[in-house]
Amino acid sequence: RPSVDPSPPSPMPPIPSPIPVLLVGQIYQDTILYMDDYPKEDSKIRAKDMEQRRGGNICNTAEVLCQFPRMDPHVMSCLGTKEASSPLVSGLEEIGIKTQACVYRPTPLPSSYIIQSSQSGTRTIISCNKTIELNLEEFIHHFDATPPYAWVHFEGRNIDNTVQQIDWLSSKAQQEGWSLKISVELEKPDRPDIDLLLAKGDVVFFSKLFAQTRNYHHPKDFLRSIQPQCKVGATLFCTWGEGGATCLLPSGEIHHASAIPVHQVIDSVGAGDTFIAGIIFCLTRQLHVLTALKFACEMASRKVEKVGFNGLA
Ligand code: FRU
């Protein structure tokens, strides 16, 4: 008879159902102006419609995640004062997005003014953020690991603090034996020191703009060239708008999924954030990466055909 392994089973707690996911970044107040065309400078024109809603990459991702079965999204963001933030907080809590990890500040919530053009399908975002960014002490103080998160996603912003937060989290996860995935989004190429985040994610999400700014015109060339700077074993994704999205696995295997043809772009704000939600949803369920890629592309395509994030699941 083969000898029985006397060591106790892995100390890792099983991932509970629902699956807790923490999203760290900045919530915004978005004002979206729906226009026929992008306006000329110094013109005076009317928008067809206007919408105000909560936004910010992690908030948009959480809005999509909370519609999927067994997903338990938590957000960690700086907000305004407790009083000013109470409608936002109760709106999020009502749809199942947990906010207890958020930090209150005396400054107002950052805002974005967005021009959505129906001719070109572009969304031009002008943001203003005067918030003092979340530091390591606050991250540790607000990080509640009960039940343990299956996945922690970081927006690629506030770089120095985010690097420290991920380093702290990675060593904590190792000490505690958590089977935790850390993902990082590198969307805006002009953020100083953003490359410091390359090596920090088990999963890294790149935008088309990020790749193009580095003079790559094909996502697979970009992913292959950036892979040596990423964590060993990391899975890399690059979204490419109507060109779909590509994934590079640690083995060097490349997968691509096409976007679904979109009849008309209605609201493209948060399409990339929707893609991230689709990937997190599939990978926390241990689905194959190609399944995840196709699913996330489909979600992102369906999102741009509708206003907001409701009804995607
Ligand atoms: C879209 C978005 C908006 C927000 C802006 C912040 O991805 O998250 O909701 O205003 O980007 O950069």
Side-chain angles (χ1 to χ4, degrees):
R1 277 178 68 199
S3 60
V4 176
D5 181 359
S7 58
S10 155
M12 262 162 19
I15 292 174
S17 167
I19 301 171
V21 171
L22 177 66
L23 305 152
V24 185
Q26 183 57 55
I27 299 178
Y28 276 72
Q29 175 66 45
D30 286 354
T31 301
I32 305 170
L33 294 167
Y34 294 93
M35 316 281 296
D36 285 327
D37 299 294
Y38 186 80
K40 285 201 186 62
E41 190 175 340
D42 208 23
S43 56
K44 186 172 176 182
I45 42 173
R46 284 193 176 177
K48 286 190 294 187
D49 216 337
M50 189 272 265
E51 190 199 355
Q52 288 192 308
R53 68 181 191 221
R54 52 190 174 235
N57 297 16
I58 55 144
C59 188
N60 298 336
T61 299
E63 296 247 5
V64 181
L65 275 181
C66 72
Q67 299 175 48
F68 294 140
R70 288 182 53 219
M71 282 280 112
D72 177 23
H74 297 232
V75 286
M76 189 188 279
S77 166
C78 298
L79 303 180
T81 62
K82 228 180 182 146
E83 201 187 10
S85 308
S86 112
L88 170 78
V89 165
S90 38
L92 291 170
E93 294 281 344
E94 259 165 41
I95 58 168
I97 299 174
K98 310 279 169 53
T99 57
Q100 63 271 32
C102 287
V103 175
Y104 295 95
R105 297 260 191 255
T107 42
L109 196 70
S111 349
S112 288
Y113 295 87
I114 304 176
I115 297 167
Q116 174 73 58
S117 152
S118 52
Q119 278 298 322
S120 57
T122 58
R123 89 292 175 260
T124 304
I125 305 179
I126 304 167
S127 299
C128 182
N129 179 3
K130 304 260 186 201
T131 297
I132 299 165
E133 301 280 2
L134 191 80
N135 62 36
L136 177 64
E137 289 67 38
E138 289 171 317
F139 179 84
I140 296 173
H141 185 71
H142 288 84
F143 184 87
D144 179 4
T146 43
Y149 294 111
W151 192 297
V152 181
H153 172 73
F154 291 83
E155 239 181 64
R157 48 176 297 110
N158 180 24
I159 310 296
D160 285 354
N161 286 312
T162 302
V163 167
Q164 293 176 35
Q165 292 160 9
I166 297 179
D167 286 347
W168 176 83
L169 180 60
S170 305
S171 54
K172 180 88 179 157
Q174 208 170 11
Q175 278 164 28
E176 306 283 338
W178 297 332
S179 76
L180 172 71
K181 279 253 184 281
I182 295 178
S183 62
V184 187
E185 182 196 20
L186 283 82
E187 183 195 24
K188 303 203 173 80
D190 53 354
R191 295 223 154 115
D193 291 336
I194 190 148
D195 283 19
L196 294 176
L197 290 174
L198 284 169
K200 298 294 170 189
D202 303 306
V203 172
V204 187
F205 297 101
F206 295 99
S207 66
K208 180 179 178 182
L209 180 66
F210 196 94
Q212 284 179 327
T213 306
R214 286 161 195 234
N215 292 322
Y216 287 91
H217 305 291
H218 295 286
K220 73 170 171 13
D221 298 339
F222 167 71
L223 289 176
R224 285 209 196 283
S225 84
I226 204 104
Q227 190 181 36
Q229 294 174 64
C230 297
K231 187 171 175 174
V232 174
T235 300
L236 314 180
F237 292 94
C238 184
T239 51
W240 212 261
E242 66 277 19
T246 300
C247 168
L248 176 59
L249 294 178
S251 60
E253 219 179 310
I254 286 265
H255 291 285
H256 176 78
S258 308
I260 302 213
V262 169
H263 303 298
Q264 211 206 326
V265 174
I266 303 288
D267 168 14
S268 50
V269 179
D273 311 330
T274 303
F275 176 87
I276 291 177
I279 296 291
I280 294 177
F281 170 66
C282 291
L283 295 189
T284 49
R285 272 168 174 63
Q286 327 292 336
L287 295 174
H288 189 271
V289 76
L290 185 56
T291 311
L293 199 58
K294 285 182 179 160
F295 178 79
C297 279
E298 186 186 327
M299 282 290 134
S301 305
R302 284 181 42 211
K303 191 269 149 285
V304 303
E305 286 188 312
K306 66 193 330 287
V307 170
F309 302 94
N310 283 340
L312 282 172

